[in-house]
Amino acid sequence: SETTFDYKPGHVLALEIEADVEKLKSDDEKNNADAIANGGWMRGPYTVSRATDNSLDILIKVVGSKSKMLSEAESGTPLKFGGKFKVPIVEGIQQDDTKRVVFISTGVGVGPCVGAIEEALKDNSFPPVELYASYRNSDEIVYSKYLDDLQTNNPGKFSWQAIVSSETGRLSASEENLEVIAAPEGLGLDDTHYHLIGNGQLVSEFKTGLEKAGVPKDKVTVEMYFNHKAEANNDVIDRIADAVIATNAIPAN
């Protein structure tokens, strides 16, 4: 594109792709009402994974007709996009008083995390970053080789681990699973910044659990993709809080 972009990993934009109005009506007029009213343009919010002055990367999971169209679109297919919502991930982290950054994602939430990690690694003063990317099945894991290489090339600055819930349970399923996010010795509750992105239930449970443990609110940033109304499990919240407290010897100021 000849247009200059000003997006960063974590920005949310509205992305549109055009479908045939008559086909939308025949397929499912009720569920396609928004696209029909929009002249056939199917639209939805998507989070930017990477951006340059003239390109955008957005990681999409194919779950419906709109995402299927986007995944199958050929080079040159017209798209519309606009808006700029949410604070970019890196900008939401207070580097001056943060000694460790933990990203916890589910599914395609890993995309914006990867872009943010790339930005962080360009800044030698940025705190070490850990990524815990959750997936339901192993065949859903993306960026694996790339993240392995980043970890190898940036010892002490970046590490990551894939959590496959069908094999080991959710990250919050047990005290043992939660050991992976244990803070290094000597760090306190206000030394780590947590960014939570993806499934609404995971985000809600971790956000509440971290707050219950005493992690300052400004050290937790979030973005929910779906499952916003899922009821949080109090046992899971307590398990997260206990795990964080147990590995952070110094209380928050």
Side-chain angles (χ1 to χ4, degrees):
S1 169
E2 295 180 0
T3 303
T4 299
F5 301 154
D6 183 24
Y7 287 95
K8 295 180 180 178
H11 269 138
V12 175
L13 52 74
L15 182 63
E16 304 182 33
I17 187 168
E18 189 175 20
D20 181 86
V21 174
E22 293 306 316
K23 188 174 188 304
L24 292 175
K25 290 179 179 179
S26 62
D27 285 348
D28 189 343
E29 186 167 357
K30 181 179 179 180
N31 288 327
N32 289 326
D34 178 69
I36 293 169
N38 195 35
W41 286 87
M42 306 178 78
R43 56 190 172 184
Y46 292 92
T47 307
V48 174
S49 294
R50 294 190 185 102
T52 68
D53 288 344
N54 57 12
S55 68
L56 293 171
D57 282 9
I58 296 173
L59 184 62
I60 295 173
K61 181 176 182 178
V62 179
V63 292
S65 56
K66 178 175 59 197
S67 54
K68 187 173 187 292
M69 280 193 66
L70 286 167
S71 71
E72 295 177 349
E74 298 179 358
S75 178
T77 299
L79 299 173
K80 293 181 182 180
F81 66 91
K84 187 189 294 179
F85 310 98
K86 296 283 187 180
V87 175
I89 295 173
V90 169
E91 290 184 15
I93 298 169
Q94 301 174 17
Q95 297 183 45
D96 293 344
D97 61 357
T98 298
K99 298 178 182 177
R100 172 181 179 243
V101 176
V102 172
F103 291 154
I104 298 176
S105 68
T106 67
V108 295
V110 70
C113 292
V114 170
I117 289 162
E118 291 171 339
E119 285 196 348
L121 292 175
K122 294 175 184 176
D123 181 353
N124 291 331
S125 66
F126 201 89
V129 179
E130 302 167 24
L131 167 65
Y132 301 99
S134 296
Y135 305 93
R136 183 172 297 172
N137 300 304
S138 59
D139 60 359
E140 297 175 348
I141 299 174
V142 293
Y143 294 116
S144 179
K145 176 63 166 59
Y146 180 69
L147 290 169
D148 285 344
D149 289 343
L150 277 184
Q151 179 172 258
T152 299
N153 295 329
N154 295 276
K157 295 294 290 181
F158 172 65
S159 63
W160 88 288
Q161 183 174 332
I163 311 296
V164 181
S165 61
S166 62
E167 298 175 3
T168 62
R170 295 168 58 194
L171 177 58
S172 58
S174 67
E175 294 178 9
E176 182 181 3
N177 283 7
L178 285 164
E179 287 177 0
V180 299
I181 65 168
E185 186 176 352
L187 292 191
L189 288 168
D190 55 359
D191 289 327
T192 299
H193 183 105
Y194 298 86
H195 184 70
L196 317 170
I197 181 169
N199 185 310
Q201 184 172 14
L202 175 142
V203 170
S204 177
E205 289 172 348
F206 265 92
K207 182 176 183 291
T208 306
L210 292 168
E211 182 178 341
K212 188 171 184 177
V215 176
K217 289 184 178 181
D218 61 358
K219 289 299 181 77
V220 182
T221 47
V222 306
E223 184 182 352
M224 293 186 185
Y225 279 179
F226 64 97
N227 212 15
H228 296 73
K229 297 181 179 180
E231 186 175 349
N233 185 312
N234 288 326
D235 290 339
V236 171
I237 290 170
D238 289 342
R239 189 180 302 128
I240 293 167
D242 291 345
V244 172
I245 292 170
T247 62
N248 289 267
I250 307 170
N253 294 324

